[in-house]
Amino acid sequence: VCGWCTPEELLALSRVNKAMHSLLTSARSAPLWKLARSRVEGLPERPKYLTEMQYASVCFLNECLHCGCSDDSTQNPIWPFFVRYCANCAVSQCVDSSCYALRV
């Protein structure tokens, strides 16, 4: 059943309970994430330093990686860094505040 899920659905399932979270964060589930990701056009290639779930979170969750808020400023990832920050955290988390302007 999970093989037909979108990345967003897999993320939602990972938050259902501890058992689903453990299942979907295990290395054995990587092919499920990769299959779900393959159905989404236009995504940049996953960096090797992110797990499939971390990558899906950056791409599909509208939440700041630092503070967890979800507002209008978190709608776009900062692709050069593969992070998603709100306007406040982008200024404090980036070495140079111009990185916030790099959003695509």
Side-chain angles (χ1 to χ4, degrees), residues 5 7 9 13-14 20 24-25 29 34 44 48 62 67-69 72 78 104:
C5 289
E9 291 167 336
L13 283 173
S14 74
M20 287 301 287
L24 292 172
T25 56
S29 70
K34 189 172 183 175
K48 295 193 184 298
N62 192 22
C67 72
C69 78
D72 290 341
I78 303 170
V104 177

Side-chain angles (χ1 to χ4, degrees), residues 16 23 25 37 40 51-52 62 65 73 75 77 88 94 97 101:
V16 168
L23 173 72
T25 56
R37 184 170 46 92
V40 179
T51 65
E52 289 286 349
N62 192 22
L65 181 67
S73 67
Q75 289 182 355
N88 293 331
C94 294
S97 63

Side-chain angles (χ1 to χ4, degrees), residues 83-104:
V83 295
R84 190 183 291 256
Y85 290 137
C86 65
N88 293 331
C89 292
V91 172
S92 68
Q93 296 302 304
C94 294
V95 174
D96 181 347
S97 63
S98 66
C99 79
Y100 186 66
L102 294 174
R103 295 185 311 157
V104 177

